[in-house]
Amino acid sequence: MVGNGSTVKKINSRIANLRGLEPAGRRAVVCEAAGLDAQDERALAGEDALSVSLANGMIENVIGKFELPLGVAGNFVINGTDYLIPMAVEEPSVVAAASYMAKIARDCGGFTTSSTLPIMRAQIQILNITDPYGARQRLLSARDDLMERANSRDKMLIGLGGGCKDIEVHIFEDTPIGPLVVLHLLVDVRDAMGANVVNSMAEMLAPRVEEISGGQVRLRILSNLADHRLARARVEITADALSTKDLDGARVAEGIVQACALAIVDPYRAATHNKGIMNGIDPVVVATGNDWRAIEAGAHAYAARDGRYTSLSRWEINGAGSLVGTIEMPMALGLVGGATKTHPAARAALRMMNVTSASELAEVTIAVGLAQNMAALRALSTEGIQKGHMALHARNIAILAGATGADVDRIAKQIAEAGDVTVDRAAELLSK
């Protein structure tokens, strides 16, 4: 189930002719649909939303700001609820592809999602252990004491229902520095991403862990392989919904399944396949002020968790002939702390999405990843990935050739229709 049932406003993500408007018009329509105020609209416009003085307080050695285009993917229905999706990304075709696949999915009931509790891991590395199995037993026997100490660190988190829920102890008998024992704290971080919470707990427990184990603690740090904090999405598309003017929908569905099969067995294809998934996920993570590097690390580690790198998604055809896509991966996103609370545009983006919990944000984000994956596989199995991508990339080429204003779309259309998406051709047309 998405969210906690406390949604205060209803959004319609189906906005007709959004692409045909100018940026200011799009922004006005989106903000009206999402119920955002003038302050949020200004923040989303990027008109000095992040002042240099504010940026200077966020990171070190600030000299300015670096901006990305901020787009909105429409049409998304997830667990029966409409969502407008903010996406900060520089790559052409990403927002358009997600929106188009969401429209196809919308007519088939949309996406369904679920997620586990927001459990993060902290690792405490213990060196110089002569009896690693004995140390493991001693640490496990002290489980209640260790958990109580960990939970004394953050009373607010405990009051919200979070906190350390369990410990694990892992042994590595053969490493370059001899036997290692690693204690894991499993912590429910609620609506936080959780890095600061679990790191602080690990730091605080280190002296006690040394006393119990008889070893020496070295690393005390979270793991970005958040395999207890998973988000899942599923979509079912009828064959008719996949039909094009040139291809039967059943053939398109078969092509998507065949394309996915290569990613399942071949890591060279899986790397590109999963990058396509992250094309949808990362822009949402960036737009909402979350840590996209943590999400990338967790995704790719999870894809290789069985010792072989493989696809994060699966595509199948069910007994009714419909295409079924599923995905599961770690999704450590937060609504509190960090840039999610500091950056005005990130705060406005979260209000646009109307999400009420970190778990809901994770579920919405993974649905966008599945939509992006479907778009890439559909293109690969039909006209090829370059046709649509280059048509949208033509705008960049036109700008690079010197086009401005109305000339951008005019030149882009001409070079795309001619199949000659080059700066030389754009410059030649512009000169005429």
Side-chain angles (χ1 to χ4, degrees), residues 101 242 250-261 273 315-316 323 373-379 381-382:
M101 291 304 105
L242 291 167
R251 175 67 189 89
V252 175
E254 181 183 23
I256 289 173
V257 173
Q258 290 168 343
C260 184
H273 177 97
W315 292 91
E316 307 163 299
L323 177 70
N373 186 220
M374 180 167 70
L377 296 182
R378 179 182 176 275
S381 60
T382 54

Side-chain angles (χ1 to χ4, degrees), residues 86-383:
M87 302 180 76
V89 64
E90 86 296 343
E91 184 173 339
S93 78
V94 168
V95 179
S99 299
Y100 186 49
M101 291 304 105
K103 183 176 184 296
I104 291 176
R106 182 187 189 91
D107 295 335
C108 297
F111 297 85
T112 56
T113 62
S114 64
S115 58
T116 63
L117 289 173
I119 302 291
M120 295 294 286
R121 290 178 186 266
Q123 295 183 290
I124 301 177
Q125 177 196 28
I126 314 166
L127 291 70
N128 302 326
I129 297 285
T130 57
D131 61 335
Y133 287 91
R136 179 177 184 273
Q137 291 293 337
R138 292 192 296 275
L139 289 165
L140 289 174
S141 295
R143 171 184 178 274
D144 291 345
D145 173 59
L146 291 170
M147 288 176 56
E148 184 178 353
R149 288 171 182 263
N151 287 332
S152 69
R153 178 70 177 78
D154 195 332
K155 296 297 185 182
M156 181 178 291
L157 180 64
I158 304 306
L160 293 171
C164 184
K165 301 299 183 181
D166 205 353
I167 68 169
E168 298 174 351
V169 183
H170 301 265
I171 295 174
F172 300 91
E173 295 186 71
D174 185 17
T175 83
I177 56 171
L180 289 179
V181 176
V182 184
L183 184 142
H184 287 196
L185 299 175
L186 303 182
V187 184
D188 184 333
V189 298
R190 300 282 83 193
D191 281 332
M193 183 273 178
N196 290 332
V197 172
V198 299
N199 287 344
S200 296
M201 286 185 178
E203 292 278 0
M204 186 184 66
L205 285 185
R208 181 59 178 152
V209 168
E210 287 187 332
E211 291 175 11
I212 297 169
S213 67
Q216 179 186 8
V217 166
R218 184 65 68 207
L219 298 185
R220 305 165 302 281
I221 185 71
L222 90 158
S223 169
N224 286 126
L225 177 51
D227 57 356
H228 280 298
R229 192 176 186 177
L230 302 176
R232 309 179 186 98
R234 179 183 181 276
V235 69
E236 182 174 328
I237 309 294
T238 63
D240 287 345
L242 291 167
S243 295
T244 70
K245 63 179 182 180
D246 299 317
L247 289 173
D248 175 69
R251 175 67 189 89
V252 175
E254 181 183 23
I256 289 173
V257 173
Q258 290 168 343
C260 184
L262 180 58
I264 292 171
V265 301
D266 178 15
Y268 290 95
R269 172 58 200 151
T272 311
H273 177 97
N274 290 342
K275 189 268 182 181
I277 292 171
M278 303 313 290
N279 272 352
I281 290 173
D282 285 348
V284 184
V285 178
V286 173
T288 57
N290 273 279
D291 186 347
W292 60 268
R293 288 127 356 241
I295 299 301
E296 283 277 349
H300 298 298
Y302 193 72
R305 66 192 182 281
D306 294 326
R308 183 178 59 84
Y309 188 83
T310 188
S311 168
L312 287 165
S313 66
R314 293 293 187 271
W315 292 91
E316 307 163 299
I317 296 174
N318 67 14
S322 294
L323 177 70
V324 178
T326 55
I327 187 172
E328 176 187 83
M329 60 174 276
M331 194 63 69
L333 300 178
L335 292 184
V336 297
T340 57
K341 283 296 185 182
T342 306
H343 199 302
R347 298 200 306 269
L350 287 167
R351 284 191 286 270
M352 180 196 301
M353 295 177 78
N354 198 30
V355 292
T356 58
S357 70
S359 295
E360 182 182 5
L361 176 60
E363 293 180 27
V364 171
T365 303
I366 200 168
V368 180
L370 187 60
Q372 202 73 39
N373 186 220
M374 180 167 70
L377 296 182
R378 179 182 176 275
L380 284 167
S381 60
T382 54
E383 73 268 16

